[in-house]
Amino acid sequence: MRTVKVEEKLFQNRYLVDADNPHIRLKDPELCEKTCATKQCTVCCPAGCYTLEGQKVVLITDGCLECGTCRIICTTYRNVDWEYPRGGYGIQFKFG
Ligand code: SF4
Ligand code: SF4
């Protein structure tokens, strides 16, 4: 049986970017940078939407899988403002 890497499966998906209208925002980016010691969002996102530049958390929602993990895992500060993309935008999953 042929094995398929997760990256290969993700590559099958299509994504329509809603320019200048990200569906997830950091409520207080400074809190992420200066107060949150663990920054778990930067390691839990399967699409790699959260990255670190030094201690600064950078969120780019392009490619977001809408899994909701970042919303759930920011338990201490609840600093993630999360909603689904507007109709027609965001991820289009291709199964199979
Ligand atoms: S886990 Fe929450 S508070 Fe911490 S860096 Fe990520 S979004 Fe910010
Ligand atoms: S919803 Fe999932 S894929 Fe999208 S940014 Fe959050 S953790 Fe990443």
Side-chain angles (χ1 to χ4, degrees):
M1 191 174 84
R2 180 175 173 263
T3 56
V4 181
K5 292 182 179 170
V6 172
E7 291 77 11
E8 273 183 75
K9 297 289 277 185
L10 289 176
F11 189 70
Q12 302 292 318
N13 298 326
R14 295 293 170 261
Y15 195 89
L16 187 59
V17 176
D18 192 358
D20 302 324
N21 195 20
H23 65 286
I24 307 173
R25 292 186 172 86
L26 299 171
K27 292 177 189 169
D28 180 357
E30 201 169 299
L31 183 151
C32 297
E33 182 176 354
K34 297 186 175 164
T35 309
C36 180
T38 46
K39 297 179 176 40
Q40 57 268 37
C41 57
T42 62
V43 294
C44 76
C45 173
C49 293
Y50 293 80
T51 54
L52 275 174
E53 285 180 6
Q55 289 303 303
K56 184 180 171 191
V57 175
V58 177
L59 168 60
I60 297 175
T61 57
D62 300 1
C64 168
L65 303 173
E66 300 171 21
C67 66
T69 305
C70 56
R71 177 189 189 183
I72 301 299
I73 208 164
C74 185
T75 50
T76 306
Y77 300 109
R78 301 193 184 281
N79 200 27
V80 175
D81 190 6
W82 199 103
E83 59 185 18
Y84 284 108
R86 293 192 298 159
Y89 292 98
I91 193 86
Q92 293 178 353
F93 289 103
K94 182 178 177 187
F95 296 101

